[in-house]
Amino acid sequence: MRRASLVVVAAGRGERAGGETAKQYRSLCGRMLWEWSALLGERLFGRELVDETVLVVPRGDENLFRNRVRHFRCPFLITAGGKERGDSVLEGVRAASGDVVLVHDGARPFAGVSLCERILKAVDGERGIVPLLPVSDALKREDAEGRFQPVSREGLFAAQTPQGFPRKLLEEAILFAGSSMKDEGEAWVKAGRELGAVEGDRRNMKVTWPGDLALAESQFRMISRTGIGYDIHPLVPGRRFILGGVAVPSFPLGFQGHSDGDPLTHALSDAILGAAGLGDIGTLYPASDMRYRNISSLLILEDVSKRAAGAGWRLEWADMVAIVQEPRLAGCLGAMKEALEGVLPENWKGRLHLKVKSGEGEGTVGSCGAVVCHAAATMSLPSWMLEEGD
């Protein structure tokens, strides 16, 4: 079966965009600009369209990029780029293991799964594929005397990324064409190979000039959804009391359950899944599966957050309440928040709120027979991801 790799080139200096910070590090709707391309890799991996994503990054910043993608499920390879774009692409292609590579510019945050799928279907063993859009603006060329002359736009197209190629042949083409190429299609043609095309996407803009980032920001309309989570676990002898990932070893009772029984972590996990429309923990991590026997519920929360983040969702806020008669937990709230946040994506942290209430001596909770937990999580997603069905 043919393997495919996404290569995201994010090693440039972005000087045309102006400002003191390289454009790939600037914030766009809560993520660094390059992270939207990393998210594309995660979504492609979830659809089984690529097997890995290679990030080509500025030398010395490898750990920064590595830490920002550690919550994704897709395998990420990080490699340093070169002086010119062609050098960086070559490093990325060499680091990839796929038979086919999609080379994408990290300054294009709106590339969709459907575009990538069209490109991958069109690539064959000898032909490269680029997404093209007909040029719609009137064109002018400046001559040597500084005068402007009209240029026909008939038959002219603007090339986008990602661009797809057989990996080994692209490496040879780049070596032949040199590092000054404007895009991979140029190197491919210079090497004498056939270049095909698919229709590009008007939304797939590139952040290049001052003002482009603000324009890109204006294209984002975020959709928010709220999910709710609920869990109850009986308290029994012979089990550990673990709530919000924090153990209370001095308490003689613990939670009955297939995992460690942590109802607060389970409630938060279900709230996240509910907001993202991804099911529930009972379905995804069933008690019939021995892999989850006595597992830490923090590992379940970590996997849940990876599923949601990989689908493009971001946590905006989560509010939780644990209803507990004994033990007294007011002094544990900080440790619980720290434990829960420790398994969440970097850009989800600082968004948890936790309360503990007494059972007031009423019912099963009030008699120390069980603990009940509730959670509500609000998540956001760019509308264009839903509109495209990504």
Side-chain angles (χ1 to χ4, degrees):
M1 185 175 179
R2 188 174 74 167
R3 289 174 53 84
S5 305
L6 176 68
V7 176
V8 176
V9 184
R13 296 180 295 274
E15 293 173 341
R16 289 179 294 178
E20 297 180 359
T21 303
K23 66 182 179 183
Q24 64 266 43
Y25 299 115
R26 297 186 195 177
S27 176
L28 177 61
C29 284
R31 301 178 191 264
M32 290 184 182
L33 178 60
W34 66 267
E35 287 184 276
W36 290 103
S37 296
L39 177 58
L40 173 64
E42 175 74 357
R43 289 153 57 215
L44 293 173
F45 179 77
R47 298 286 188 88
E48 298 184 345
L49 293 172
V50 302
D51 300 279
E52 65 186 7
T53 296
V54 179
L55 294 177
V56 188
V57 309
R59 189 171 301 277
D61 285 354
E62 292 90 342
N63 284 338
L64 181 152
F65 282 76
R66 191 172 290 113
N67 289 336
R68 302 285 289 197
V69 298
R70 65 180 179 83
H71 62 281
F72 285 140
R73 300 162 69 87
C74 176
F76 276 83
L77 306 175
I78 315 294
T79 187
K83 184 178 179 181
E84 303 290 341
R85 175 188 166 84
D87 301 320
S88 294
V89 174
L90 185 60
E91 292 297 327
V93 170
R94 285 174 168 170
S97 62
D99 305 301
V100 171
V101 289
L102 290 174
V103 181
H104 186 50
D105 195 318
R108 288 186 184 268
F110 296 106
V113 170
S114 58
L115 174 62
C116 296
E117 191 168 17
R118 292 201 303 272
I119 296 167
L120 286 170
K121 285 181 178 178
V123 174
D124 59 31
E126 296 292 332
R127 189 175 62 154
I129 299 294
V130 299
L132 298 178
L133 287 175
V135 173
S136 56
D137 294 325
L139 301 177
K140 303 291 184 290
R141 176 182 286 118
E142 185 179 10
D143 63 21
E145 285 74 37
R147 296 171 300 191
F148 293 92
Q149 301 295 331
V151 176
S152 174
R153 66 189 177 201
E154 295 302 316
L156 294 182
F157 296 84
Q160 300 181 321
T161 69
Q163 301 182 1
F165 304 90
R167 181 174 62 87
K168 287 292 187 181
L169 294 181
L170 178 60
E171 180 180 347
E172 293 174 5
I174 295 171
L175 289 171
F176 177 85
S179 61
S180 61
M181 62 183 190
K182 298 297 186 295
D183 70 354
E184 293 66 59
E186 179 181 335
W188 190 259
V189 171
K190 283 184 176 180
R193 299 204 170 272
E194 181 184 355
L195 187 66
V198 297
E199 182 181 0
D201 186 339
R202 291 287 175 190
R203 294 176 303 183
N204 186 21
M205 66 170 288
K206 182 181 178 183
V207 175
T208 303
W209 304 105
D212 281 354
L213 200 63
L215 177 60
E217 191 92 30
S218 72
Q219 304 304 307
F220 273 86
R221 181 172 63 86
M222 304 299 286
I223 291 175
S224 293
R225 291 178 177 174
T226 298
I228 58 173
Y230 164 85
D231 201 19
I232 179 172
H233 277 279
L235 286 167
V236 296
R239 294 277 291 182
R240 294 194 301 161
F241 187 100
I242 302 175
L243 194 68
V246 175
V248 183
S250 60
F251 193 64
L253 303 177
F255 294 114
Q256 180 179 319
H258 185 64
S259 64
D260 63 9
D262 182 343
L264 183 61
T265 305
H266 292 173
L268 177 58
S269 298
D270 261 344
I272 291 170
L273 289 170
L278 295 175
D280 63 88
I281 60 173
T283 302
L284 296 174
Y285 316 99
S288 59
D289 193 330
M290 295 306 294
R291 289 180 298 171
Y292 307 118
R293 183 167 179 78
N294 296 323
I295 191 175
S296 168
S297 295
L298 290 176
L299 295 177
I300 292 176
L301 176 60
E302 182 177 28
D303 190 63
V304 162
S305 67
K306 286 181 177 180
R307 290 173 185 266
W313 292 94
R314 184 181 69 185
L315 180 68
E316 298 296 341
W317 191 252
D319 190 28
M320 299 165 283
V321 58
I323 307 171
V324 186
Q325 187 67 35
E326 294 286 347
R328 300 300 182 185
L329 297 171
C332 298
L333 294 184
M336 289 180 186
K337 284 182 63 177
E338 184 177 354
L340 294 170
E341 287 190 344
V343 298
L344 297 180
E346 199 66 33
N347 63 345
W348 288 22
K349 294 180 180 179
R351 303 181 181 205
L352 300 183
H353 186 249
L354 173 60
K355 307 180 292 288
V356 176
K357 300 292 185 180
S358 168
E360 302 295 346
E362 296 292 328
T364 305
V365 174
S367 62
C368 286
V371 167
V372 170
C373 295
H374 300 266
T378 298
M379 311 275 285
S380 64
L381 177 82
S383 61
W384 59 269
M385 289 188 181
L386 289 182
E387 291 164 2
E388 191 186 18
D390 287 351

